[in-house]
Amino acid sequence: MFYLCCFFNTNNVFFNQNAAYANIMFDALLKKYPFSPRSLHGKAKALDVLAEEKQSNELLLQSLGYYLRALKAPEVPDQLFVTIAERYINRARFIGQYKKAIAVHWQLIERFPANATYLNNLAVTYLTINSVEAARSVLRKVLLKWPDDGFALVHYGFILKTTDNDLANSVNYMTRGLQTKCLGCIDGRFYFHLGDALARLNRNDEAIKLYEEGVKEKVFMSKFQRSLYNMERLTAKPWWEPKDLPSYQNLFSALKKNYLQIKQEGLAALNDKGFFQDEAENLKDTGTWKQLELFARGQKFPKNCAKTPVTCGIIQKYTEASGCRRGQSKFSVMHPGTHVWPHCGPTNCRLRIHLGLKVPPETAIRVAEETRSWVESDIIIFDDSFEHEVWHNGSDFRLVLIVDVWHPDLTPREREILSSI
Ligand code: LMR
Ligand code: MN
């Protein structure tokens, strides 16, 4: 028993190479000591390693069963209990068994009531499955008992911002949380939403200071480029010229050459109710801004494309656009009196083309520090991971076609394997 215990605890590499052997050995041990927490844990771990090696959910489920039995064994030492419970939660979440994970979160919380971490971790699991109210109530519990807990503060502030749009209070909570510099606080999402809340409250100086701090903490590429899903090394500049993108020239010509038909399809869809949808990301300050999605995450919207076949046909033909799984293609209509808050897209892996279709005066877009407008039948290209802001102070609606393309510095292999956004 001593040997196996120490071989297991101190030599994980050896364990990994011999998971199949360990699996059998622990069976033998369990015959002799069926309730030994270390043997149950050893068996669970062997199955866990095998499950990973063989990519087998079946083995992982068996492993979870043993982890659970280990947790229920009599007299499990505290440290071992934590190790097992945390691995169990990690694996249960991995295969989407959140209910099971939550039950073990509660076991940790009950066993260690003086430790805020276990409540905080439960809140994160709730947030992962979008159970925002459950997360909120857990975080409230933490803050009642530990009002200065940085992790709970930033997460609670995050919920106030993203669910309630309660800007002033979200700023208070997130600011206090970030000041603690806690592990888990230094996360781009909190800098992103705190800065956004500050900017919307007209506290721009504070927002800029925070963004600069975010750059120092390496959560942002620069104070203007604040996307959170990034590849390093990609050329980063707010505005691009068509000549900067030699491999996309055919797409540009096709868009410009077919501008009139694209415009007619967009206008016809506008006249039919139910095609254009309100922008859904809470980016708008005032006005009316709607979109008709044609492609997103590399997938076509068949119903919308049936309405605008020429436009979709062009996009489909150019895989830098139709295959851009980190972008979209869509018509975008903006009505007079619209202001879109300064915001950044999620990723630096795409560039955004706008084809001007109907462009009244007094419409403008700022990207980083330079403001431009659209020209009918022509394109503008920008990197929407940089902060951008849009105004419509004119008197008739503006219509553009937006086509996202892969960032030109991405290799064919990267375009194949990057996850969709
Ligand atoms: C944006 O990407 O937020 C805007 O450029 C969209 C638009 O319709 O102008
Ligand atoms: Mn945008």
Side-chain angles (χ1 to χ4, degrees):
M1 183 62 196
F2 174 74
Y3 168 74
L4 261 176
C5 131
C6 294
F7 139 77
F8 170 69
N9 280 335
T10 59
N11 200 338
N12 256 322
V13 176
F14 188 56
F15 189 90
N16 282 356
Q17 288 167 353
N18 291 279
Y21 176 67
N23 187 32
I24 296 165
M25 291 300 285
F26 281 114
D27 270 341
L29 268 169
L30 282 170
K31 275 220 172 89
K32 224 166 158 189
Y33 310 101
F35 303 110
S36 152
R38 284 200 172 74
S39 302
L40 288 163
H41 180 215
K43 172 76 181 172
K45 181 97 202 240
L47 287 165
D48 190 345
V49 172
L50 286 172
E52 211 155 318
E53 258 173 43
K54 299 193 158 63
Q55 307 258 302
S56 158
N57 275 352
E58 169 79 39
L59 287 170
L60 188 50
L61 285 170
Q62 286 179 31
S63 157
L64 286 179
Y66 279 97
Y67 280 128
L68 211 53
R69 281 172 60 189
L71 290 175
K72 289 196 180 115
E75 293 174 34
V76 187
D78 279 351
Q79 189 46 55
L80 184 62
F81 190 90
V82 171
T83 306
I84 298 171
E86 288 186 337
R87 182 63 186 170
Y88 180 92
I89 289 168
N90 174 304
R91 292 295 82 191
R93 285 174 47 147
F94 175 76
I95 45 168
Q97 302 218 340
Y98 290 96
K99 257 197 174 151
K100 288 187 175 176
I102 288 165
V104 171
H105 273 296
W106 281 113
Q107 289 190 34
L108 279 166
I109 292 163
E110 275 153 27
R111 184 160 174 152
F112 305 101
N115 195 331
T117 306
Y118 301 121
L119 280 162
N120 282 335
N121 290 345
L122 172 60
V124 170
T125 294
Y126 278 136
L127 283 176
T128 314
I129 53 172
N130 226 355
S131 292
V132 180
E133 293 318 311
R136 191 201 300 266
S137 105
V138 171
L139 293 167
R140 272 214 188 104
K141 266 197 187 110
V142 177
L143 291 171
L144 265 176
K145 211 161 160 185
W146 298 276
D148 301 320
D149 186 280
F151 192 93
L153 285 167
V154 288
H155 283 82
Y156 196 74
F158 180 83
I159 291 174
L160 291 175
K161 162 74 165 57
T162 52
T163 301
D164 306 349
N165 204 23
D166 178 353
L167 302 179
N169 282 316
S170 80
V171 164
N172 285 339
Y173 279 92
M174 284 196 276
T175 304
R176 280 170 52 212
L178 284 186
Q179 275 163 359
T180 69
K181 303 239 167 196
C182 82
L183 204 75
C185 291
I186 310 302
D187 180 315
R189 286 169 300 177
F190 305 125
Y191 284 86
F192 188 100
H193 282 287
L194 174 54
D196 187 48
L198 286 166
R200 291 183 188 205
L201 289 166
N202 259 321
R203 293 161 65 173
N204 286 309
D205 294 349
E206 289 167 81
I208 290 167
K209 234 182 101 200
L210 180 82
Y211 292 147
E212 280 165 350
E213 197 185 304
V215 176
K216 268 197 212 122
E217 296 290 354
K218 299 198 170 20
V219 299
F220 298 138
M221 320 253 278
S222 73
K223 73 173 175 182
F224 283 125
Q225 195 180 24
R226 302 192 300 274
S227 46
L228 298 179
Y229 299 89
N230 301 315
M231 290 285 284
E232 281 175 20
R233 78 160 212 283
L234 304 185
T235 306
K237 55 177 184 169
W239 286 102
W240 288 65
E241 302 310 321
K243 67 170 169 36
D244 300 333
L245 296 156
S247 58
Y248 298 163
Q249 293 302 313
N250 290 341
L251 167 64
F252 300 158
S253 314
L255 289 172
K256 292 202 281 191
K257 213 172 65 205
N258 294 287
Y259 133 84
L260 206 55
Q261 258 184 302
I262 295 172
K263 175 176 179 171
Q264 278 159 0
E265 286 189 342
L267 291 175
L270 255 182
N271 277 332
D272 267 9
K273 280 224 155 57
F275 279 99
F276 278 73
Q277 307 285 329
D278 278 327
E279 180 274 331
E281 288 174 75
N282 182 28
L283 299 175
K284 186 169 56 79
D285 173 15
T286 56
T288 310
W289 175 27
K290 290 174 187 276
Q291 305 181 331
L292 173 64
E293 283 196 288
L294 307 178
F295 289 82
R297 301 159 70 90
Q299 302 279 330
K300 185 154 131 180
F301 287 67
K303 191 175 140 259
N304 295 346
C305 277
K307 185 77 188 161
T308 60
V310 173
T311 311
C312 281
I314 294 168
I315 296 164
Q316 180 93 61
K317 196 169 155 206
Y318 298 94
T319 53
E320 63 265 39
S322 54
C324 179
R325 284 174 299 93
R326 292 199 158 190
Q328 302 124 43
S329 288
K330 56 197 179 189
F331 285 97
S332 172
V333 68
M334 196 172 278
H335 291 271
T338 302
H339 172 228
V340 178
W341 290 113
H343 65 281
C344 297
T347 177
N348 73 343
C349 294
R350 70 186 188 210
L351 299 179
R352 181 153 275 194
I353 304 165
H354 280 198
L355 173 67
L357 299 174
K358 182 171 174 318
V359 186
E362 306 223 36
T363 52
I365 173 166
R366 171 182 69 82
V367 185
E369 292 176 293
E370 190 185 332
T371 301
R372 296 189 186 179
S373 190
W374 301 264
V375 174
E376 282 184 13
S377 83
D378 206 353
I379 57 170
I380 55 173
I381 308 163
F382 62 99
D383 179 337
D384 81 322
S385 63
F386 284 83
E387 179 181 290
H388 53 291
E389 181 174 10
V390 190
W391 297 267
H392 191 329
N393 298 320
S395 50
D396 197 1
F397 67 85
R398 180 222 68 175
L399 182 67
V400 298
L401 175 71
I402 298 177
V403 179
D404 289 339
V405 289
W406 285 117
H407 190 292
D409 294 349
L410 290 169
T411 65
R413 178 83 186 128
E414 285 165 340
R415 295 173 198 209
E416 243 170 63
I417 62 174
L418 277 171
S419 63
S420 303
I421 292 179

